Amino acid sequence: AALLAMISASLACYPDGHFDHVKRVLHLDDLNSFVRSKTGSGVALFVRWIGSESSECCKRQASAWTHVTRAYRDNPLIAFGDINLEDPSEPDGSSFTVRYFTNETSIKGVQCPRSTKGAFC
């Protein structure tokens, strides 16, 4: 049972303790408030946008996102958020992107550059 719990946790989009250092953004109004509060105080904000928590895409890239958020969680000039925008036009929940926000970007932020031309997942 313990092994099954560890495997399930490792395959989760949000591992245990994730929201201790990453803000769960519930909707776009919440995102706008979060962006304004962080960028207004000089903090760079990175937000992961996913189409569904249950998507394979989210699960496959979760360990990399978790690694980055944990590596920088104590840096006062960087903050992280997760917004789950269940999108009915993406039935498999494959929509995924990371956007960054600073006091020099608009409230819409900027999509992080991709290092590959292939699909994220």
Side-chain angles (χ1 to χ4, degrees), residues 9-116:
S10 70
L11 296 175
C13 191
Y14 303 125
D16 288 341
H18 181 72
F19 292 109
D20 294 345
H21 58 277
V22 176
K23 177 174 174 54
R24 181 185 292 264
V25 180
L26 301 175
H27 46 75
L28 291 177
D29 289 338
D30 190 25
L31 176 65
N32 291 340
S33 296
F34 186 45
V35 168
R36 285 187 184 102
S37 72
K38 292 299 181 185
T39 60
S41 59
V43 173
L45 174 61
F46 294 84
V47 177
R48 174 174 68 162
W49 300 63
I50 63 169
S52 170
E53 291 179 37
S54 61
S55 76
E56 288 303 313
C57 182
C58 181
K59 293 173 185 176
R60 274 184 281 205
Q61 55 71 39
S63 65
W65 180 247
T66 299
H67 178 77
V68 169
T69 61
R70 287 181 178 164
Y72 290 94
R73 71 176 153 204
D74 295 324
N75 187 324
L77 299 177
I78 300 174
F80 297 95
D82 265 308
I83 187 164
N84 179 354
L85 297 176
E86 296 283 342
D87 185 350
S89 70
E90 296 277 354
D92 65 350
S94 62
S95 168
F96 170 80
T97 190
V98 174
R99 298 186 76 75
Y100 69 91
F101 304 83
T102 68
N103 57 4
E104 296 178 4
T105 66
S106 72
I107 194 75
K108 293 180 180 180
V110 176
Q111 184 169 337
C112 289
R114 293 181 62 166
S115 61
T116 179

